[in-house]
Amino acid sequence: MERLILQRLLKWKHSPYRKPLILKGVRQVGKTWILKEFGRRYYENVAYFNFDEQEEYQQFFETTKNVDRILQNLMLASGQTIHPEKTLIIFDEVQDCPKVINAMKYFCENAPQYHVACAGSLLGIALAKPSSFPVGKVNFMQIDPMTFTEFLLANGDKNLAQYLEQIDTLDPLPDAFFNPLYEKLKMYYVTGGMPEPVLMWTEARDIEAMQEALSNIVDAYERDFAKHPDTREFPKISMIWKSIPSQLARENKKFLYKVVKEGARAREYEDALQWLVDARLVHKVYRSTEPGLPVSAYDDLSAFKIYLVDVGLLRRLAQLSPTAFGEGNRLFTEFKGALTENYVLQSLLPQFEVMPRYWSQSNPPYEVDFLIQRENDIFPVEVKSKTNITSKSMKKFKELFPDQVKLRVRFSLENLKLNDDVLNIPIFLADQADRLIGLALAQRKHEHPLS
């Protein structure tokens, strides 16, 4: 499989400011595979240490802070060789090993000639704990589920992936590209972006094996809930997790604690929800009161929506059958467009530094699905899973904030086009949103140089 993060890892390898790397990502998103593949392609050898399988290796970090001695012990115990600059050292499953994480400080300060990468599935949780953490001594990188572009590459559709990457005008796509991309996107909704289900589909076209792979990932996550230090939180985490499809199936997708359990109060459940957010199993999107900077200054902390890390997992958790998705647009409208919203958010996250928000007002009710910050501009984003694409909310948003709205962005099943200040992006082009917004802004500036 071709993962685009390899380019970022290569940049890290050659950076004059390289520090030990901490690669974060949920369980089974492909962290270990990508690091080993990166080492195989770009280093003479890889020295791999898994602290879950070989707990005794943790002791080497407890008795000394001397990097050479730590490495000497690891080499002798494992029979692996480590050369400065030429070996990629991988420390895996480090989330329960604070001493290993802390040792990155000594690698950074005293042994920068060693290339070290750490990975772990619940690192977000570990790093949220107040422990002696090597602040400023590590580089962070996030690995997310496979994007639709990566799915196309895995599926043998290199020509379609290349076509997406080279779109440089806002003209409608020819049917010869639009139709197959639309069909492939349906399949991506079914498999999602976790590497194993994708592999089951792209290599064997085996729906049952793909379904089972997704179920196994969901089970693995649910077993992780039990790792919360406070056992009383475990059932709460589980209940929030299982409520996500119901939360997203409602017309108003604002998160309600009472959907988790009748009579549930925020203060009883907010720690459990925060655990899921820290683990990056769910994304929390706050309501914004207006499009100002910094974005966080306008957060309404009492109102938010939550989405799942991956659209395929959401489909599996909602127990939607893959067979229903051969029927026209049903896949996009099923479940109040929740799969499409989840997919669009998933596609936006790697492209924009700031977590998207959403905007709404009641009385009369209006809602804009997402607000994204690109450089110092904020753009309202609407997700339309049907072909009916008229929108009162986007119009209202522009009326209320005319000076802040340079461009309105809509994802829908319509073709690519810029209509005045509304950029319509076909849903399967969500990976390219940042670039397409740039093209639209440049075109508008050219057409309206004084505005």
Side-chain angles (χ1 to χ4, degrees):
M1 289 188 179
E2 197 55 46
R3 299 295 308 264
L4 304 176
I5 193 174
L6 274 169
Q7 297 311 310
R8 282 161 56 208
L9 288 166
L10 201 53
K11 215 183 246 181
W12 168 78
K13 178 185 196 278
H14 295 305
S15 167
Y17 312 110
R18 189 195 65 255
K19 298 171 185 174
L21 178 72
I22 289 190
L23 183 65
K24 298 191 294 179
V26 294
R27 188 177 295 288
Q28 298 194 17
V29 78
K31 298 179 296 298
T32 306
W33 182 87
I34 201 72
L35 288 176
K36 285 182 170 178
E37 180 67 9
F38 171 57
R40 186 184 69 75
R41 289 194 197 183
Y42 301 109
Y43 288 84
E44 284 185 15
N45 72 310
V46 173
Y48 175 77
F49 304 96
N50 184 316
F51 292 97
D52 194 29
E53 291 170 7
Q54 299 142 322
E55 288 180 32
E56 64 277 14
Y57 287 178
Q58 292 185 41
Q59 291 175 344
F60 300 146
F61 294 81
E62 287 163 10
T63 50
T64 180
K65 292 174 180 176
N66 182 311
V67 170
D68 287 327
R69 193 178 305 164
I70 290 171
L71 292 178
Q72 196 72 40
N73 288 338
L74 285 170
M75 282 195 281
L76 289 170
S78 68
Q80 303 186 66
T81 53
I82 294 173
H83 301 292
E85 311 285 348
K86 296 174 182 173
T87 303
L88 178 64
I89 304 165
I90 302 173
F91 294 143
D92 204 356
E93 299 298 349
V94 298
Q95 64 273 12
D96 298 321
C97 320
K99 287 277 195 298
V100 177
I101 297 173
N102 198 38
M104 293 310 107
K105 177 182 178 193
Y106 310 112
F107 275 90
C108 176
E109 290 174 350
N110 308 328
Q113 68 274 28
Y114 290 107
H115 292 216
V116 188
C118 298
S121 41
L122 291 175
L123 262 174
I125 305 288
L127 302 178
K129 291 177 197 159
S131 61
S132 69
F133 180 71
V135 179
K137 306 295 180 185
V138 291
N139 297 132
F140 285 105
M141 210 176 281
Q142 176 72 37
I143 179 167
D144 293 302
M146 295 170 76
T147 62
F148 178 54
T149 306
E150 289 174 318
F151 171 81
L152 289 173
L153 291 169
N155 199 41
D157 294 306
K158 197 173 178 183
N159 59 327
L160 291 176
Q162 284 175 335
Y163 177 75
L164 294 184
E165 297 287 340
Q166 58 85 40
I167 292 172
D168 57 2
T169 62
L170 300 175
D171 300 326
L173 279 62
D175 288 353
F177 290 109
F178 190 100
N179 296 338
L181 283 164
Y182 168 69
E183 289 304 320
K184 307 284 178 191
L185 182 64
K186 286 187 188 178
M187 202 57 231
Y188 179 76
Y189 275 34
V190 173
T191 63
M194 303 304 274
E196 196 184 352
V198 169
L199 193 70
M200 294 303 159
W201 170 251
T202 55
E203 291 216 332
R205 293 288 186 262
D206 188 332
I207 291 268
E208 270 181 45
M210 183 267 297
Q211 283 281 82
E212 195 179 330
L214 280 168
S215 299
N216 291 343
I217 294 171
V218 170
D219 291 347
Y221 290 167
E222 291 177 354
R223 284 196 300 277
D224 279 345
F225 301 162
K227 293 183 179 170
H228 194 288
D230 183 346
T231 48
R232 287 170 304 181
E233 294 296 308
F234 168 57
K236 294 179 189 171
I237 296 172
S238 200
M239 285 162 81
I240 291 174
W241 172 257
K242 290 195 164 87
S243 83
I244 293 173
S246 327
Q247 303 274 3
L248 291 173
R250 296 180 1 263
E251 201 61 60
N252 173 4
K253 294 177 174 60
K254 177 186 161 188
F255 183 84
L256 296 176
Y257 285 98
K258 70 178 183 207
V259 174
V260 178
K261 187 186 176 188
E262 197 57 54
R265 299 256 190 291
R267 64 172 183 273
E268 296 170 64
Y269 282 83
E270 56 196 1
D271 285 353
L273 178 56
Q274 192 56 44
W275 190 95
L276 286 165
V277 172
D278 288 341
R280 259 185 100 93
L281 289 172
V282 306
H283 301 300
K284 192 176 190 182
V285 176
Y286 281 110
R287 176 182 171 272
S288 180
T289 52
E290 62 177 271
L293 294 173
V295 174
S296 56
Y298 298 90
D299 285 349
D300 169 1
L301 298 179
S302 68
F304 53 88
K305 302 191 278 191
I306 63 173
Y307 295 90
L308 225 53
V309 65
D310 176 66
V311 66
L313 290 172
L314 176 60
R315 179 195 64 78
R316 191 74 194 99
L317 203 60
Q319 297 182 314
L320 296 174
S321 160
T323 52
F325 297 150
E327 306 163 23
N329 294 348
R330 183 174 170 192
L331 169 58
F332 300 99
T333 54
E334 186 86 46
F335 186 38
K336 300 275 193 297
L339 289 173
T340 302
E341 258 186 63
N342 207 101
Y343 158 75
V344 167
L345 177 68
Q346 202 177 319
S347 304
L348 295 175
L349 286 173
Q351 298 179 67
F352 301 98
E353 202 179 328
V354 178
M355 185 73 181
R357 307 300 203 263
Y358 78 100
W359 173 83
S360 71
Q361 72 164 47
S362 45
N363 228 352
Y366 291 105
E367 181 170 318
V368 169
D369 297 315
F370 299 114
L371 299 181
I372 51 175
Q373 180 183 337
R374 184 183 184 273
E375 294 167 2
N376 284 333
D377 294 316
I378 292 171
F379 300 97
V381 173
E382 180 177 56
V383 179
K384 285 286 190 191
S385 48
K386 299 187 178 121
T387 37
N388 163 23
I389 55 172
T390 55
S391 168
K392 295 176 185 153
S393 295
M394 289 277 262
K395 201 170 164 206
K396 184 69 178 174
F397 190 82
K398 184 164 185 192
E399 278 172 25
L400 290 171
F401 311 108
D403 299 337
Q404 287 105 310
V405 182
K406 285 187 178 176
L407 188 73
R408 293 176 286 172
V409 180
R410 182 203 301 122
F411 291 98
S412 76
L413 297 178
E414 298 283 304
N415 213 323
L416 180 63
K417 61 174 179 272
L418 178 62
N419 188 355
D420 191 28
D421 70 335
V422 177
L423 172 64
N424 188 84
I425 302 178
I427 298 169
F428 52 72
L429 274 173
D431 285 356
Q432 311 293 328
D434 180 40
R435 213 164 52 77
L436 295 172
I437 290 169
L439 288 174
L441 291 172
Q443 187 173 320
R444 278 186 57 72
K445 198 169 184 181
H446 180 68
E447 289 168 0
H448 310 277
L450 300 174
S451 67

